[in-house]
Amino acid sequence: MTTSPGRRSSTFTRLLRHGFTDPSAAEQLLDLDALASVRSDPVLLEALGATADPDLALRGLVRVVEAGEESERQVLLDTLVTAKPLRDRLLGVLGASEALGDHLARHPRDWRALVTYESADLHPGVAEFEQGLADAVDPDSLRVAYRRCLLTLAARDVCGTTGLAQTAAELADLATATLRAALAIARTAAPEDAAQCRLAVVAMGKCGGRELNYVSDVDVIFVGEAHDGVDETKAMQAATRLAAHMMRICSETTVEGTIWEVDANLRPEGRNGPLVRTLSSHLAYYQRWAKTWEFQALLKARAVAGDPELGAEYVEAVSPLVWGAADRENFVPDVQKMRRRVVDNIPADRIERELKLGPGGLRDVEFAVQLLQLVHGRSDASLHSGSTLEALRALADGGYVGRADAAQLDEAYRFLRAMEHRIQLHRLRRTHLVPEDEADLRRIGRSLGMRTDPVAELNKAWKRHASVVRRLHEKIFYRPLLDAVAQLAPGESRLSPKAAAIRLEALGYADPAAALRHLEALSSGVTRKAAIQRTLLPVLLGWFADSADPDAGLLGFRKVSDALGKTPWYLRLLRDEGAAAENLARVLSAGRLAPDLLMRAPEAVAILGDPEGLRPRTREHLEQEVLAAVGRAGDAESAVAVVRGVRRRELFRTTAADLIGSYGTEDSPAEQDHGALVDRVGSAVTDLNAATIAGALRAAVRERWGDTLPTRFAVIGMGRFGGHELSYGSDADVLFVHQPREGVSDEEAGRAANAVVGEMRRLLQLPTADPPLLIDADLRPEGRTGPMVRTLKSYEAYYRRWSLVWESQALLRAEHMAGDEELGRAFVELVDPLRYPMEGLGEDAVREIRRLKARMESERMPRGADPTLHAKLGRGGLSDVEWTVQLMQMRHGWAEPGLRTTRTREALAAACAAGLIPAEDAQTLDEAWVLAARVRNAVMLVRGRPGDTFPSDARELAAVGRYLGYEPGHVGDMLDDYRRITRRARAVVEERFYGAAG
């Protein structure tokens, strides 16, 4: 077939038109002698052009023809051009599956399996497949027979003779026949073992549900019993040998390749458990030890091979356990855990191509359907199906899932499974990854009927269906709950109140009746507010259920909605700002503190929709706002009321940012640097309290003296306040210092300073809806018996003459916070020599600090408190770490400038950098300090009041665990981890603080 140079042949052009991507290579193949009798037949080119990959189909055809004997070749080619069923089937398979093309090239006579077109051939069952495998007597012949059966099955699939569900069912039936054939080969090889035991093979997973893929592990469980008169131990050993041999027959790779892996890891105890158990042993395990996911797996159990009676007994015996799983004690946390998408183990560069486990993937549909089956199947036997699509249809018929949602999920699931089938069929490899190569995508798209622009059409359809699954996979849990309390059109199914309560219980709601009342109040009516809330609630309910206290979340949403529901911006915020609704759900369901702050001024919810809204305000910004508010107010009380309102709003901003950072959202993962979270909270609350005190100071001065107080006045932060390490419930430890102005007597200045302090403290503690700010000045010279305010000279005289070592230690945290900056700096300069003594601390002072610490440990620990779990005073807690760091600061601060900081973590890092403490010890102390600080923050967030120990209430403890990053049901791990981390820290403290080191 020659053409003049520079011109393309008409064949080249026709090949292009028929979908060939390499017409030149195709021309060369058509010119081969093997195809001489058919190359000019237009029917052949038309049929090749109809395949998923015409180039692949032509290459495969040439290989099959060339592999056959001379007489066989012409029969194949004659049949190919005269019999359309064979032509469509054979070329369809060759254009979709390189692996089946390889099989035909090795076994060229197997094309004849595609000639038959009887009605029985269209929908074969297990019996027909068993007949197709009947001649297999060893692993190699079984593989050849299996591929021959698979060839006919794939041909029906790619030609559209069978749909997705029928193809998946046929694959499962072929697997059943293959397992039976493999077991028969194993029995023949060991007749003495077969004589000793009864052995049943129970299919699980997709094989059990009759929805198998082309290439998938076939999950099984083995059940064995001894024949009469046979010792049970020997019988189980024989059954185990048979089962293991059967697995090898299917799984091992021979010259004819492999069939698929037989996976028995869903058995009791997984890989660590015996391969074969008796029925009674299975039941004993399930009744005592099994977890919820194991009952979820048993949903699909189906006896497929071996002793049929024993298999049926097993399925019948476990069925009540499966459908009673929702009554088990740990069902709710297990459901919460299982509902979270498990993507942690998928590499980041693959997650977007994951058809099964990625967001909007097949697993989302399957898990959602299975969990709804577990929840409602205990009272409705119509849901007892192993097939995802059949179960989804039954859920819709029963009103457990909305019909429109079920229809969309059904369509998406069928499309995603069809994609999965086409991907696996190409090379018969177990994969769920969508390929990146354009030629692969083109073949898949064409195989699904996309011919105009296959790659673009495939990507568009895939993303659309994945988006539908992502949107619906959790919504189907919650939308029917709204329908249960709504007015539905005649003929529409709905959840009964009982079924709705069952589902709410399964989702973690402790008071389903109250939850249904809230849903009814929020979603009833024809107002715009009700319509928007009906749209939002299915998603919000999912986020609430993901928390430790769904009831509080839903109640809080109702309260906020009642307060703001008529405000146009509120509904618009939740509807249009993607993050706002999820942020609100996280904040409302994580504990008491944030919702309490929000309920006092619900308009603060606007913070949650602003991209910059969760960023803490700087101290300069806050002071500017509060001082301006004080300037506008008519009197001191109204001025400080405004200041405290600002503080409440900013506390809400800080708690919201902390909770959202700790929990994470769908678009933003949880913050992994817990130290950064603690630092942000400590700095934000410190800046906020400093600005609040500055506002109260200005208000107190203006009320009585106008713009100028008779004495210069400064507030010095101490303790956690000075260290920028405040937690939500901390008091503000301070010292007050003043300096009489020129011409003002000491007496007048002292009276003014004391009056200002008294007024500030009164204003900040007035009973209002806003949280009070308690000012604690007990660290002043002479403690509670000493004067509340001193002049700078008085402090100087006291510290020079009377100062004790503990006071020098307390002054390590001293930092100017409010009032006269110059005076504040003068105070800090005054105390520097005390806290960083030249040449460091003497041995007597070191012994005194150690003595004080030991005394504090024995005397200040609350009675009955567990010292291993007390975040402040307990073993390896805040106090242990801080005293260790402070001792290093006092011993070496004079020589190491980095140690001259009020912040614990900064000082610890500086000590490590200076070689004063090994990096490993510093890391141990830092980890313990951050964890203890987070525990204190968590307790305040969850309970709404400060505390230094883990809550005893189970739900509160679970909420603390969620804040700290532990999954439901893992509070024991949380407490174990806390004890382990703080025990290691205490060992460092023993060496570095009490020992000779440092």
Side-chain angles (χ1 to χ4, degrees):
M1 194 184 295
T2 59
T3 60
S4 58
R7 296 190 59 191
R8 288 178 172 174
S9 71
S10 59
T11 304
F12 185 99
T13 307
R14 280 191 299 141
L15 289 169
L16 268 179
R17 195 168 62 246
H18 280 94
F20 285 83
T21 58
D22 190 352
S24 299
E27 271 191 299
Q28 292 174 8
L29 289 172
L30 287 169
D31 278 345
L32 293 173
D33 290 341
L35 299 184
S37 64
V38 296
R39 72 165 63 101
S40 58
D41 195 314
V43 170
L44 175 63
L45 205 57
E46 196 74 34
L48 285 167
T51 66
D53 187 339
D55 302 85
L56 179 64
L58 179 56
R59 289 197 303 273
L61 177 62
V62 169
R63 291 179 65 205
V64 175
V65 172
E66 290 182 339
E69 297 175 3
E70 190 68 38
S71 58
E72 186 75 12
R73 291 183 189 179
Q74 201 54 48
V75 175
L76 167 58
L77 292 173
D78 289 346
T79 312
L80 190 70
V81 295
T82 58
K84 178 174 168 52
L86 171 71
R87 186 165 62 246
D88 290 346
R89 288 176 165 201
L90 178 58
L91 295 182
V93 167
L94 291 174
S97 178
E98 191 176 320
L100 289 176
D102 292 343
H103 171 81
L104 283 166
R106 284 198 309 276
H107 305 280
R109 290 183 59 83
D110 277 3
W111 67 268
R112 291 177 176 272
L114 302 177
V115 175
T116 316
Y117 204 69
E118 303 298 330
S119 57
D121 176 56
L122 294 181
H123 300 295
V126 176
E128 286 76 19
F129 286 127
E130 283 190 289
Q131 191 174 347
L133 302 176
D135 294 335
V137 294
D138 56 39
D140 279 341
S141 59
L142 180 60
R143 279 154 177 68
V144 175
Y146 173 83
R147 288 290 170 91
R148 189 182 306 121
C149 291
L150 191 65
L151 182 67
T152 63
L153 193 159
R156 290 188 296 275
D157 179 17
V158 298
C159 292
T161 308
T162 54
L164 180 280
Q166 178 64 27
T167 299
E170 288 183 17
L171 285 164
D173 288 346
L174 175 56
T176 295
T178 306
L179 290 169
R180 292 179 182 180
L183 184 57
I185 294 171
R187 284 175 176 276
T188 302
E192 64 286 355
D193 283 344
Q196 293 188 67
C197 63
R198 299 165 64 198
L199 177 65
V201 184
V202 178
M204 306 284 281
K206 283 188 162 56
C207 185
R210 293 190 76 233
E211 51 185 14
L212 197 60
N213 303 328
Y214 275 101
V215 187
S216 173
D217 289 355
V218 171
D219 296 311
V220 299
I221 282 178
F222 295 105
V223 190
E225 294 290 348
H227 274 308
D228 291 342
V230 178
D231 176 73
E232 185 178 287
T233 302
K234 290 183 177 179
M236 288 303 98
Q237 290 170 347
T240 299
R241 287 191 292 271
L242 287 173
H245 190 189
M246 188 204 84
M247 292 173 70
R248 289 196 303 276
I249 290 169
C250 296
S251 303
E252 286 181 349
T253 301
T254 73
V255 291
E256 290 293 343
T258 185
I259 303 177
W260 18 247
E261 285 287 325
V262 177
D263 188 341
N265 289 334
L266 291 177
R267 67 186 184 270
E269 300 180 74
R271 293 181 181 178
N272 298 322
L275 184 61
V276 184
R277 287 176 184 256
T278 62
L279 178 58
S280 60
S281 175
H282 276 283
L283 293 177
Y285 172 85
Y286 289 130
Q287 288 164 349
R288 185 167 185 186
W289 303 110
K291 297 181 172 59
T292 300
W293 70 263
E294 294 178 274
F295 294 111
Q296 182 190 6
L298 286 168
L299 271 174
K300 297 181 179 293
R302 181 171 64 93
V304 292
D307 190 305
E309 289 182 8
L310 180 57
E313 285 177 44
Y314 173 88
V315 173
E316 186 179 350
V318 299
S319 182
L321 300 176
V322 172
W323 303 114
D327 296 321
R328 290 165 58 88
E329 183 179 351
N330 293 319
F331 182 72
V332 171
D334 286 347
V335 167
Q336 287 180 312
K337 214 179 311 175
M338 283 157 31
R339 274 182 45 252
R340 286 189 196 84
R341 207 175 286 110
V342 184
V343 296
D344 294 349
N345 296 324
I346 306 175
D349 60 334
R350 291 174 52 178
I351 193 167
E352 290 303 318
R353 296 190 293 125
E354 253 287 350
L355 203 58
K356 180 178 180 180
L357 300 177
L362 292 162
R363 180 63 58 86
D364 281 350
V365 183
E366 292 159 0
F367 265 39
V369 168
Q370 289 163 22
L371 292 180
L372 285 175
Q373 285 180 275
L374 285 177
V375 170
H376 297 293
R378 53 182 163 173
S379 58
D380 188 343
S382 72
L383 304 181
H384 297 188
S385 170
S387 160
T388 300
L389 290 172
E390 285 180 13
L392 183 57
R393 188 160 52 249
L395 286 165
D397 290 343
Y400 303 104
V401 173
R403 287 191 186 279
D405 290 347
Q408 287 188 65
L409 272 183
D410 182 284
E411 181 188 0
Y413 186 71
R414 287 175 189 272
F415 178 84
L416 296 172
R417 283 296 305 273
M419 259 187 89
E420 181 183 44
H421 277 188
R422 295 298 189 267
I423 291 168
Q424 294 184 347
L425 181 58
H426 182 221
R427 291 197 172 93
L428 289 181
R429 289 180 184 165
R430 182 176 180 266
T431 179
H432 309 286
L433 279 183
V434 178
E436 295 177 293
D437 182 73
E438 187 152 325
D440 289 330
L441 294 172
R442 181 176 183 272
R443 185 190 64 256
I444 296 166
R446 283 174 60 89
S447 76
L448 295 173
M450 302 166 183
R451 296 301 168 100
T452 307
D453 186 352
V455 176
E457 291 175 56
L458 176 69
N459 280 322
K460 183 178 179 182
W462 170 35
K463 297 304 180 189
R464 176 171 62 83
H465 285 299
S467 173
V468 166
V469 173
R470 225 175 7 248
R471 181 169 52 84
L472 289 180
H473 100 277
E474 288 215 334
K475 191 177 98 172
I476 66 169
F477 282 90
Y478 309 109
R479 184 170 291 286
L481 293 169
L482 300 188
D483 293 342
V485 296
Q487 295 295 316
L488 296 186
E492 281 286 313
S493 299
R494 72 158 88 214
L495 281 181
S496 67
K498 180 182 177 183
I502 287 172
R503 186 172 303 187
L504 284 164
E505 273 185 16
L507 294 168
Y509 288 82
D511 189 347
L516 281 172
R517 288 197 299 273
H518 297 324
L519 290 177
E520 186 171 13
L522 287 162
S523 61
S524 60
V526 294
T527 63
R528 179 170 168 272
K529 169 188 172 184
I532 292 175
Q533 289 180 164
R534 277 195 296 272
T535 303
L536 286 169
L537 274 166
V539 184
L540 287 169
L541 285 169
W543 288 323
F544 293 149
D546 199 33
S547 74
D549 196 348
D551 301 80
L554 182 56
L555 173 61
F557 180 67
R558 182 177 177 184
K559 288 179 177 178
V560 173
S561 184
D562 287 347
L564 295 178
K566 294 180 181 177
T567 312
W569 64 261
Y570 167 70
L571 294 169
R572 193 165 55 246
L573 173 81
L574 294 185
R575 185 191 62 199
D576 299 338
E577 296 291 340
E582 185 178 3
N583 289 346
L584 178 61
R586 299 295 182 205
V587 165
L588 290 176
S589 56
R592 294 180 186 173
L593 179 61
D596 286 351
L597 293 168
L598 180 59
M599 296 311 169
R600 289 165 185 160
E603 64 276 3
V605 77
I607 289 170
L608 302 176
D610 179 358
E612 294 295 308
L614 297 176
R615 194 183 301 279
R617 298 294 184 256
T618 63
R619 189 186 304 188
E620 293 73 24
H621 181 108
L622 292 168
E623 282 196 12
Q624 207 172 22
E625 182 179 2
V626 299
L627 294 178
V630 170
R632 291 191 300 269
D635 57 54
E637 290 193 5
S638 57
V640 173
V642 176
V643 170
R644 287 173 64 179
V646 171
R647 178 171 180 265
R648 183 237 317 117
R649 182 198 71 206
E650 295 304 317
L651 273 176
F652 174 72
R653 188 192 310 277
T654 305
T655 58
D658 189 17
L659 289 168
I660 293 163
S662 297
Y663 271 72
T665 63
E666 291 188 355
D667 294 328
S668 176
E671 170 70 70
Q672 296 303 305
D673 185 351
H674 294 161
L677 281 172
V678 169
D679 290 345
R680 280 202 290 273
V681 170
S683 295
V685 178
T686 297
D687 289 346
L688 178 53
N689 285 357
T692 303
I693 289 171
L697 175 59
R698 175 69 62 88
V701 172
R702 280 183 75 243
E703 182 82 355
R704 184 165 170 185
W705 292 278
D707 292 332
T708 306
L709 191 66
T711 186
R712 292 161 62 204
F713 185 90
V715 182
I716 308 298
M718 298 287 284
R720 299 193 183 286
F721 187 25
H724 297 256
E725 295 163 357
L726 286 176
S727 59
Y728 296 113
S730 301
D731 295 347
D733 289 319
V734 298
L735 297 178
F736 299 111
V737 57
H738 76 104
Q739 186 81 8
R741 296 189 186 278
E742 196 172 336
V744 177
S745 68
D746 288 352
E747 291 78 7
E748 182 185 353
R751 283 195 301 271
N754 277 288
V756 163
V757 169
E759 181 66 356
M760 281 172 60
R761 299 180 79 186
R762 183 186 74 84
L763 292 170
L764 291 172
Q765 295 178 49
L766 281 173
T768 70
D770 296 314
L773 173 56
L774 301 178
I775 294 178
D776 187 341
D778 287 354
L779 291 175
R780 64 188 183 269
E782 301 178 69
R784 293 182 181 180
T785 60
M788 186 67 73
V789 192
R790 288 177 183 261
T791 64
L792 191 62
K793 285 183 178 178
S794 175
Y795 277 108
E796 182 182 11
Y798 174 84
Y799 287 138
R800 186 177 64 248
R801 187 171 181 186
W802 304 108
S803 175
L804 300 173
V805 68
W806 74 263
E807 292 176 297
S808 298
Q809 182 182 353
L811 288 168
L812 286 167
R813 305 290 204 109
E815 183 175 304
H816 173 255
M817 287 293 172
D820 191 296
E821 285 190 37
E822 189 180 335
L823 181 59
R825 277 197 302 272
F827 180 87
V828 169
E829 289 170 4
L830 167 68
V831 301
D832 270 351
L834 287 168
R835 53 186 181 175
Y836 312 123
M838 189 61 66
E839 302 299 330
L841 285 178
E843 283 306 310
D844 288 347
V846 171
R847 277 195 298 273
E848 176 64 11
I849 288 175
R850 290 171 175 162
R851 189 187 64 78
L852 287 170
K853 175 74 171 71
R855 179 179 159 196
M856 185 181 76
E857 287 177 15
S858 63
E859 294 180 2
R860 293 185 59 188
M861 178 71 70
R863 181 173 305 203
D866 182 347
T868 67
L869 293 175
H870 198 280
K872 183 177 180 181
L873 301 175
R875 179 192 68 188
L878 295 171
S879 175
D880 267 3
V881 177
E882 287 163 2
W883 281 62
T884 303
V885 171
Q886 288 162 11
L887 183 58
M888 286 190 287
Q889 287 180 282
M890 295 182 75
R891 298 180 87 171
H892 304 285
W894 65 277
E896 293 292 342
L899 291 173
R900 297 171 208 159
T901 173
T902 62
R903 305 178 189 222
T904 301
R905 298 188 72 214
E906 270 187 21
L908 181 56
C912 181
L916 301 175
I917 182 172
E920 185 180 350
D921 286 357
Q923 171 61 30
T924 299
L925 294 180
D926 186 73
E927 183 183 14
W929 188 91
V930 167
L931 178 58
R934 292 200 80 215
V935 168
R936 294 183 93 208
N937 284 344
V939 170
M940 184 67 184
L941 285 167
V942 169
R943 305 183 70 192
R945 59 182 188 272
D948 293 315
T949 58
F950 289 89
S952 55
D953 177 82
R955 181 159 277 202
E956 289 178 349
L957 188 62
V960 168
R962 292 302 311 281
Y963 171 83
L964 294 177
Y966 290 86
E967 297 291 336
H970 285 269
V971 294
D973 293 340
M974 171 182 68
L975 298 178
D976 288 345
D977 287 348
Y978 183 88
R979 288 188 170 105
R980 174 178 54 79
I981 290 167
T982 53
R983 181 175 64 247
R984 288 171 51 213
R986 178 63 184 198
V988 175
V989 171
E990 293 285 354
E991 180 183 358
R992 299 279 150 196
F993 181 82
Y994 287 113

